[in-house]
Amino acid sequence: MEWYQLENAAQIDSPAIVIYRDRVADNIALLKTMVDDVQRLRPHVKTNKIAEVVQLMQEAGIQRFKCATIAEAEMLGMVQAEDVLLAYQPVGPKIVRLLELVQKYPQTAFSCVTDSTDAALAISDIFAEQGRRLPVYVDLNVGMNRTGIQPGQAALALYQHLHTLPGVTPVGLHVYDGHIHDKDIAIRKEKCDAAYAPVDVLAKQITEEGLPRPVIIAGGSPTYPVHVKRKDIECSPGTFVFWDWGYGKNLPEQPFKWAALVLSRVISVIDAQHICLDLGHKSVAAESPQPRVQFLNAPAAQIISQSEEHLVLKVEAASQFPVGTVLYGVPLHICPTVALYEKAYVVEDNAAIANWRIVARDRQIII
């Protein structure tokens, strides 16, 4: 029996997401071998959104985390994570929700990012009103062109200005270089180093102004092998826990294992070479061009079309895939795929033994 095949697949309604616990643990262990100090790891939980997966990381000695939503931050508070960065500038009601998180989970040190004086002032006002100071990181734009302020004099001025606000405490710099994902690690390193260079200059300017050296949190999965070799910065890979087809193909220097698959069934045999599965747009991340999934037990299958609840494949012989046949697929992009499911089936020794709730897929848990 192949590692991914389930003895009790007949008990699992499809489509479903299936997590292989031992492979998750192996991926966490591998991540730790790549860094000199586990305290420099701050994994992003946007990939898994599951409390039990976070607890596996905690058991491995990882105590700092990064997240993108208030719900993900709340999940981390629920498992008593020591240190949580909301790597998303809270605006409007999110500021109040973040304050409520700080109040509800005092054992967790929460922080957030900011990239402007107006946004920082709004955060400061709400926290100062309650007699609190929230740790904040200046979010730097090093080429992603999504959020952040470019490292330079304006960023230095913002960092200095944060020290004048009563409700925040500037502690560091946040750097996400998700635009760098070249397959060739040498090219990736060259681009990563170039993007990081002005960040290093900014950090030195901050200390020259008499302020404490800022904590620097940098990178994601593609640039993790580059940033991990720098000293005294924290790294934030996230996809490593589950891995996916896209990163497995494009980041060959990182030998993580596929640990989360989508389980699907043949629901119709169309003709001698075409079959239909129950794996539609709503069951696997649909933001990328096809193929969005690769089937381990049907590697030659070609995706012909996909709609909300259906996926049509061309195969050499449809007779080999009668109605009810179970197919196991590796998503091209696992992160948004996980968010499509309310729960995941957990596998040990080729059998699904439990369910884990994907609790942070919700926009709100309690807070």
Side-chain angles (χ1 to χ4, degrees):
M1 179 173 287
E2 298 288 349
W3 65 267
Y4 54 84
Q5 293 178 315
L6 303 186
E7 296 174 351
N8 57 347
Q11 300 174 18
I12 298 177
D13 192 11
S14 57
I17 191 160
V18 180
I19 294 174
Y20 298 78
R21 186 185 185 281
D22 291 345
R23 293 172 75 90
V24 172
D26 289 345
N27 286 342
I28 295 171
L30 176 58
L31 184 81
K32 290 175 58 180
T33 68
M34 301 168 70
V35 68
D36 58 344
D37 183 356
V38 70
Q39 298 305 315
R40 291 179 55 214
L41 292 175
R42 186 183 287 271
H44 204 315
V45 302
K46 71 180 181 65
T47 297
N48 68 81
K49 300 180 184 291
I50 299 172
E52 289 85 352
V53 173
V54 174
Q55 288 172 325
L56 288 177
M57 287 189 270
Q58 290 174 307
E59 291 168 6
I62 299 172
Q63 304 299 333
R64 300 174 183 177
F65 299 93
K66 193 166 88 169
C67 62
T69 70
I70 296 292
E72 290 168 2
E74 183 170 5
M75 173 192 71
L76 290 164
M78 292 165 62
V79 298
Q80 301 186 6
E82 290 183 8
D83 190 312
V84 173
L85 168 63
L86 176 65
Y88 200 98
Q89 182 165 255
V91 175
K94 281 187 173 61
I95 304 174
V96 177
R97 292 178 66 199
L98 181 55
L99 172 63
E100 292 174 351
L101 278 181
V102 171
Q103 294 169 329
K104 184 176 178 62
Y105 300 102
Q107 78 287 345
T108 299
F110 290 99
S111 57
C112 75
V113 300
T114 187
D115 65 7
S116 72
T117 54
D118 289 344
L121 179 60
I123 297 168
S124 176
D125 285 347
I126 289 175
F127 275 80
E129 186 177 350
Q130 298 299 316
R132 293 180 177 271
R133 297 179 72 97
L134 179 71
V136 296
Y137 292 76
V138 169
D139 188 24
L140 297 177
N141 177 8
V142 295
M144 187 73 180
N145 296 327
R146 185 174 65 182
T147 62
I149 181 172
Q150 291 185 356
Q153 288 303 311
L156 177 60
L158 173 60
Y159 199 86
Q160 292 172 309
H161 179 70
L162 294 176
H163 282 273
T164 71
L165 301 179
V168 298
T169 300
V171 294
L173 307 172
H174 174 257
V175 184
Y176 181 58
D177 47 16
H179 61 293
I180 302 172
H181 41 70
D182 301 86
K183 185 173 183 177
D184 187 328
I185 184 62
I187 296 175
R188 207 181 323 144
K189 181 181 185 303
E190 181 180 359
K191 291 183 178 180
C192 180
D193 288 342
Y196 183 79
V199 177
D200 196 37
V201 171
L202 175 60
K204 292 176 181 176
Q205 290 175 330
I206 289 172
T207 58
E208 289 170 357
E209 293 295 326
L211 300 173
R213 179 170 176 81
V215 176
I216 301 177
I217 301 172
S221 295
T223 55
Y224 172 65
V226 181
H227 287 302
V228 78
K229 297 185 184 303
R230 308 188 200 282
K231 299 297 182 182
D232 302 323
I233 75 166
E234 298 179 8
C235 303
S236 297
T239 308
F240 72 94
V241 285
F242 293 158
W243 217 225
D244 57 25
W245 190 269
Y247 276 168
K249 177 178 61 176
N250 293 321
L251 307 179
E253 80 286 346
Q254 299 185 50
F256 294 106
K257 299 177 179 178
W258 296 317
L261 305 180
V262 286
L263 183 150
S264 182
R265 283 185 172 84
V266 177
I267 58 170
S268 181
V269 176
I270 302 170
D271 56 34
Q273 287 191 301
H274 294 87
I275 58 177
C276 183
L277 311 184
D278 56 0
L279 195 73
H281 294 151
K282 295 178 178 178
S283 304
V284 66
E287 86 279 16
S288 301
Q290 297 286 12
R292 297 165 182 155
V293 60
Q294 296 285 338
F295 294 101
L296 297 178
N297 55 334
Q302 300 177 31
I303 294 177
I304 300 301
S305 66
Q306 188 178 34
S307 50
E308 291 187 28
E309 305 291 352
H310 303 80
L311 179 68
V312 175
L313 300 180
K314 181 179 180 181
V315 294
E316 184 175 349
S319 59
Q320 297 178 3
F321 302 94
V323 170
T325 299
V326 175
L327 295 184
Y328 300 85
V330 184
L332 178 68
H333 193 184
I334 188 62
C335 308
T337 297
V338 171
L340 298 172
Y341 294 86
E342 295 178 353
K343 67 179 181 181
Y345 292 89
V346 185
V347 175
E348 289 186 5
D349 298 325
N350 293 99
I353 61 168
N355 294 327
W356 285 345
R357 183 186 172 198
I358 305 174
V359 61
R361 75 183 290 267
D362 295 339
R363 287 293 176 179
Q364 295 183 344
I365 301 175
I366 298 175
I367 300 300

